[in-house]
Amino acid sequence: MDRGVHTRGKVARLVAGAESVEIKATVPQQQIEGGLRRFGLNAGNDEERFIYFFDTPELQLFKAGVVARARRIVGGEHDSTVKFRPVDPATIDKKWQKYKGFKIEADASEKGVVKSASLTMPVEKGLIKRVLEGKKRIPDLFSEEQKAFLLETAKARFDFDRVIVMGPMRAWRWKFEDPGLPWPLTAELWQRDDGATVLEASIKSPVVQAAAAGGGFLAFLAELGAERDNDQQAKTRWALDYFAARARGSLRSKPATGRATAAATRPRGRASRK
């Protein structure tokens, strides 16, 4: 690793303006099962959730740096999030700081650092299901504050009549500790309806610890024998690419309905419960 005058303050500059840093690494497919066993992670001790994304079949929002999603946590609260990235924190109005669900975060991986701004708001239980059934419109999942935040940060208007539901994505999330690492660990396993999975391991640290946390986390993974995932595909992109391709295929095979609630997929099994 290079050290010297040319590296001084390098990480600090990359994460400047963020409130916290999340350092992420995806686990190669061949090591997912072993990794879950290593830490005793299973469906009996998880926080199960279902995740829905909202975008056009061409991923118009995602390509503009916008991620819109809703989450339903089994036995917990439901919420929706609008996120914009990359951002320069200095350009984000401080008025958004009054909202509990607002945050500016730096996402770090072996591919680099990206800063994002997001606003999360609670969603009434049952509303996600009504949107999926076509009884409510997709914009009903997002508050007026979230819509204003999106317009202000993205500086663009989107045709929500073309936005569809992409999901659900079944997910499991665990928080735990390991004596070999001073920062708590989070593991999140996502599963598409075709059975494909992606496992992401991450830690969060204060900005002032970013350099030490990043180096320490990667060294910890190396010590465990975790192989480098050459794809290192962010789980959001992995999910969106799949559902968007399926939606485009569906649109080619039948006339468009023009319904804002047209779903790329329909929920199955447990995903259909409130």
Side-chain angles (χ1 to χ4, degrees):
M1 176 184 289
D2 290 339
R3 292 186 300 178
V5 175
H6 62 288
T7 64
R8 182 188 301 158
K10 180 179 179 180
V11 174
R13 288 190 295 273
L14 289 173
V15 301
E19 300 162 3
S20 63
V21 179
E22 184 170 17
I23 301 147
K24 305 177 178 180
T26 55
V27 177
Q29 283 293 316
Q30 68 272 18
Q31 290 194 307
I32 288 179
E33 187 176 342
L36 294 175
R37 280 200 311 269
R38 163 69 172 77
F39 292 104
L41 308 180
N42 56 67
N45 59 18
D46 73 322
E47 182 181 78
E48 188 180 15
R49 55 186 60 196
F50 294 93
I51 301 171
Y52 305 82
F53 292 99
F54 307 94
D55 210 322
T56 68
E58 299 78 26
L59 298 181
Q60 179 190 9
L61 274 70
F62 186 78
K63 290 175 181 177
V66 174
V67 174
R69 69 167 183 250
R71 291 183 299 194
R72 183 170 62 81
I73 300 175
V74 176
E77 300 300 318
H78 303 178
D79 60 35
S80 65
T81 298
V82 289
K83 176 184 285 191
F84 185 70
R85 60 188 176 195
V87 298
D88 176 359
T91 66
I92 305 298
D93 198 307
K94 295 187 183 297
K95 67 184 179 185
W96 300 110
Q97 294 177 355
K98 67 182 179 182
Y99 296 104
K100 181 180 178 180
F102 170 77
K103 65 180 178 180
I104 296 178
E105 190 171 61
D107 293 330
S109 70
E110 291 183 286
K111 286 190 172 183
V113 178
V114 178
K115 283 176 277 193
S116 65
S118 63
L119 183 59
T120 297
M121 291 286 191
V123 169
E124 174 191 353
K125 286 192 175 182
L127 180 56
I128 294 174
K129 183 177 181 180
R130 292 196 294 274
V131 168
L132 296 176
E133 293 171 343
K135 296 176 181 178
K136 287 286 186 177
R137 300 176 65 247
I138 289 173
D140 293 333
L141 289 169
F142 301 94
S143 69
E144 292 305 314
E145 292 86 354
Q146 286 173 305
K147 294 170 187 174
F149 174 75
L150 176 59
L151 180 61
E152 185 175 302
T153 53
K155 295 180 174 56
R157 292 187 180 275
F158 301 97
D159 182 5
F160 280 97
D161 285 336
R162 297 197 66 250
V163 170
I164 61 174
V165 180
M166 295 188 174
M169 181 74 58
R170 192 176 183 184
W172 296 264
R173 189 170 185 258
W174 301 269
K175 290 185 177 182
F176 56 100
E177 296 183 354
D178 187 280
L181 193 69
W183 298 276
L185 279 153
T186 296
E188 194 159 356
L189 179 70
W190 284 17
Q191 183 181 58
R192 300 188 314 217
D193 59 7
D194 65 349
T197 58
V198 63
L199 176 64
E200 181 183 87
S202 66
I203 61 170
K204 283 190 177 183
S205 80
V207 170
V208 70
Q209 297 176 4
F217 183 49
L218 295 180
F220 170 77
L221 294 176
E223 183 67 16
L224 290 180
E227 299 172 9
R228 184 190 300 268
D229 183 6
N230 293 324
D231 290 337
Q232 280 293 327
Q233 185 168 204
K235 59 185 187 297
T236 296
R237 183 62 187 258
W238 173 81
L240 284 173
D241 281 346
Y242 169 76
F243 287 115
R246 202 154 98 173
R248 291 193 298 270
S250 176
L251 290 174
R252 284 194 294 268
S253 64
K254 63 182 180 181
T257 65
R259 293 284 299 280
T261 53
T265 62
R266 291 294 180 190
R268 298 180 181 180
R270 295 178 64 185
S272 62
R273 300 182 315 180
K274 286 187 180 180

